[in-house]
Amino acid sequence: MKFGTPLSLAVLVVAVSSVPVRRSVDPNLVPDLGATAGKNPTGTGDCDGAVNGANGQPIKVPCACPPDRQSFLTALNANVAAGHAVNNPSVSVSFPTDNSIPSQDARFNAFAVTLQNLNGPGKGCPIVSTTLQAQQKAIDSGSAPPAPAPAAPSAPPPPPAPAPAPSAAPAPAAGGVDPNLVPDLGATAGKNPTGTGDCDGAVNGANGQPIKVPCACPPDRQSFLTALNANVAAGHAVNNPSVSVSFPTDNSAASINARFNTFAVTLQNLNGPGKGCPIVSTTLQAQQKALTG
């Protein structure tokens, strides 16, 4: 009877000591993303990214991309602590802290995974919304050290509560959008996944290779039509009410352009204000150019 208490205490000590200790990522090992969200908005939900395309102009990205530094660090810490993308558990991450090239590459992979899976599996920000690829290339070539990070905040605030999921778009009413006036998006989601959450888009970049986009982009045709009908019925983007849309049905160049603008608004605001799929995940720009010159 006298040995009951020490035995219980010993079991408790063993149980507590077996819990692994998770340390936060050192923010000094996390470079600046090289860009801020919301640059040169077009008014349809897309903004300038941090990388130029084949035409020498910035590749368009959702206006919510990239995330602010604190939000990125919060998501990165969660992924590193879990050993995988929290929002895409099949994608592993590691975060070695030495400055060997393999370790720096592993960290940049963790940055890319975090960025591209911010809001769900393959639903996040395209890598071209940042300068991370150029920073990694400079490090791998030995031409530059990692970009210095801004001073870390003294006490990071708790992560914000997740935004409520947008309510399901209503079914198209009688007399809704004529699907014959809605072209095919020209691509399907999930092409050539890298394993980090990004896939090939439908447009090539300056290097002649497909621009990477979130693997959930573009949406399937029925999902796109449902969102399009909801926006047209409302006269604005349901998920971004300040952005108006129209859908004239004649074949004048002005009406065709108005419809393509509505396609772009729908695509780029699928999941919230400026949170959707980049236009380069489709061939819509090329189709519009071919129709209107």
Side-chain angles (χ1 to χ4, degrees):
M1 298 297 290
K2 294 182 180 179
F3 294 100
T5 300
L7 180 59
S8 299
L9 181 60
V11 171
L12 177 62
V13 170
V14 170
V16 170
S17 63
S18 66
V19 176
V21 176
R22 295 289 188 184
R23 292 184 173 83
S24 296
V25 166
D26 181 354
N28 293 311
L29 294 176
V30 183
D32 191 86
L33 296 180
T36 54
K39 186 177 180 183
N40 296 330
T42 61
T44 66
D46 66 342
C47 291
D48 285 357
V51 178
N52 288 346
N55 62 356
Q57 300 300 310
I59 296 167
K60 297 299 182 183
V61 300
C63 282
C65 296
D68 65 81
R69 181 169 176 82
Q70 187 54 54
S71 297
F72 182 70
L73 285 173
T74 298
L76 178 65
N77 267 288
N79 291 344
V80 171
H84 59 253
V86 172
N87 290 329
N88 197 353
S90 65
V91 182
S92 299
V93 299
S94 63
F95 203 86
T97 56
D98 66 275
N99 279 328
S100 67
I101 296 298
S103 291
Q104 292 187 70
D105 284 343
R107 294 199 296 268
F108 271 84
N109 180 70
F111 304 150
V113 167
T114 298
L115 188 72
Q116 294 157 352
N117 296 278
L118 279 175
N119 305 312
K123 296 180 179 179
C125 288
I127 198 74
V128 293
S129 65
T130 74
T131 60
L132 287 176
Q133 286 179 317
Q135 293 183 56
Q136 183 177 10
K137 185 176 180 181
I139 291 168
D140 287 348
S141 68
S143 62
S154 56
S167 57
V177 168
D178 179 355
N180 293 311
L181 293 176
V182 183
D184 190 87
L185 297 180
T188 54
K191 185 176 180 182
N192 296 329
T194 62
T196 66
D198 66 341
C199 291
D200 285 357
V203 178
N204 288 345
N207 62 357
Q209 300 300 311
I211 296 167
K212 296 299 181 183
V213 301
C215 282
C217 294
D220 64 81
R221 181 169 176 83
Q222 188 54 55
S223 297
F224 182 69
L225 285 172
T226 299
L228 178 66
N229 268 283
N231 290 344
V232 171
H236 59 254
V238 172
N239 290 328
N240 197 354
S242 65
V243 183
S244 298
V245 299
S246 63
F247 204 85
T249 57
D250 66 274
N251 282 327
S252 66
S255 292
I256 291 172
N257 283 332
R259 293 199 296 269
F260 271 84
N261 180 70
T262 298
F263 302 149
V265 168
T266 298
L267 188 72
Q268 294 157 350
N269 296 278
L270 279 174
N271 305 311
K275 295 180 179 179
C277 289
I279 198 73
V280 293
S281 65
T282 73
T283 60
L284 287 175
Q285 287 177 317
Q287 293 183 59
Q288 182 178 8
K289 186 176 181 180
L291 288 171
T292 60

